Amino acid sequence: MAQATSSNREHLAGDALVAGAGLAGLFTALKLADAGCQVTVLAGIPRKGGATSTWAQGGIAAALGPDDSVDLHVADTLAAGDGLVDEAAARALAEDAPARIADLEALGVAFDRNADGSFSLGREGAHSRNRIAHVGGDSAGAAIMAALGKAASSHENIHILSGWHAADLFVERGVVSGLVTRGGVAPDAPTLIFRADATVLATGGVGALYAVTTNPTGSRGHGLGLAARAGALVSDVEFVQFHPTAIACAEDPAPLATEALRGEGATLLKADGSRLMEGVHRDLELAPRDIVAREIATEIARGRTVLLDCREAVGDRFAERFPSVYAACQRNGIDPVAGTIPVAPAAHYHMGGVVSDLAGAASMPGLYVCGEVARTGAHGANRLASNSLLESIVFGARIADAIAVNSTSTRPPKNAPSGGAAPTGPDPHAEQIKALRDSMSRNVGVARDASSLEETLSLIRGLEAQALPQASGYNNMLAAAHLIVAAAYRRQESRGGHSRLDYPQTDERLARPTPLTLTEALLTCAAPVTKTA
Ligand code: SIN
């Protein structure tokens, strides 16, 4: 955690400083700006893949159909979350959803509609109704981000800066007063403090801490680690969602075969052609995501392949209905019209994160968290499909309401500092990060146990012991990984996305969130440190 010193360079960022320019960051910024606040958005250092939101294929869940209701949406969210959902958060999500979808439409997002003008609503796992509003078939994320990017870059109250990435919270007398940023990833990169009345972390999730993930490389838990290093409370971080059907190929990140395919009737087959999910769950391929992912992972662990068969359900409409998946198949020599798609689970979404209340406020005054970095309680142990984009816009609007009340409309100075360039050379920690990602996938994946978790904890301890204090991005990543593994070690049961081979049963006494500080995580399990080169 950084403290003010006279030698630190400072920039005034206005009423609010938002770290992250994905859906959570830009939507929060737009809501703040419309309320008259002056907002600085730190878009970070350009990285391969950009924001995770842009990659979202499925869409946004909302009770928009004539047969649907807020209560049904809440009930499905609670059931998927396996006993750990905070009902008030789930209700906030479901109740605010239609209004936030209308906001996106007002920003120019053209949701797919039926001939009669009603929303064309898709089905995904564990939804009891067709409830997914999509755009361009499987291109919701890209379309929404294009509309938001256009609106935010032309809004007079929003100042988007790239080249500076959040390194530490800037804390004065216990209050978060902005961010210490770095203009690059090198240990000697310049430092600049952005000072603001309110700070919003919208830095995304942790998927790319794993070797097999659907997330872009920027999703390595930086916001989670940064907040926890400053003392913010985190919770439920052991719950990582593995998407059941990433396309099994050599690409990193692994391309997604959206759950909407199974919503259309695509089936999961074993290599011998039999249905994988038969006898496992009454909803077959549309069972909750954790259950489908576990079944696929178990089959693959037996040395067999699992195939997604879309031939009958989608057939020759594939390229038109699912253009992103079709393109990924083509890149990898797969013909999803005439043949099947090999699939495997991949780290996809983090249910846990920095603890937030219903207004998005974290445990430290002045700090708000939005999107995947936050733990609002709406997802419990397993997120309901397409509730993630929804959480970003619902809580983004709530955060803006909370901040706008105290806004002084202080305009940031015009001479905004230009940040560092995108890194050109190899990442100085490339070798260590590869070792970490491999270990996370091998030991902290769909199934874990005490000894696999101890092995990864030892590796992380070894990496931490060698890390330079000024390598803040790397240290934030290590802190995020440490929190996840320690929390997984501490929860001695199986529930939702957390499946312990040594504790296969759900323990009703543990049906509660697990708030954790970094200090507690660092004291978890005295496994010996692995020496790294
Ligand atoms: C998908 O399209 O299958 C992913 C949607 C989600 O993660 O909710």
Side-chain angles (χ1 to χ4, degrees), residues 56-59 124 241 243 245 256-260 262 289 348-349 383-388:
Q57 294 181 356
E124 290 182 1
Q241 183 167 75
H243 196 290
T245 57
L256 188 65
T258 175
E259 193 157 315
R262 281 175 278 134
R289 223 171 243 185
H348 180 65
Y349 187 83
R383 173 176 62 85
L384 185 66
S386 287
N387 265 355
S388 54

Side-chain angles (χ1 to χ4, degrees), residues 179-260:
L179 287 163
V180 181
T181 68
R182 307 295 295 264
V185 291
D188 60 351
T191 302
L192 179 63
I193 292 171
F194 284 83
R195 185 186 273 282
D197 296 339
T199 301
V200 183
L201 291 180
T203 45
V206 303
L209 286 174
Y210 287 80
V212 184
T213 178
T214 61
N215 291 185
T217 48
S219 300
R220 289 188 178 156
H222 294 286
L224 174 68
L226 173 155
R229 285 177 58 228
L233 203 57
V234 311
S235 191
D236 304 359
V237 286
E238 62 274 40
F239 295 105
V240 175
Q241 183 167 75
F242 295 86
H243 196 290
T245 57
I247 300 177
C249 63
E251 279 184 33
D252 174 26
L256 188 65
T258 175
E259 193 157 315

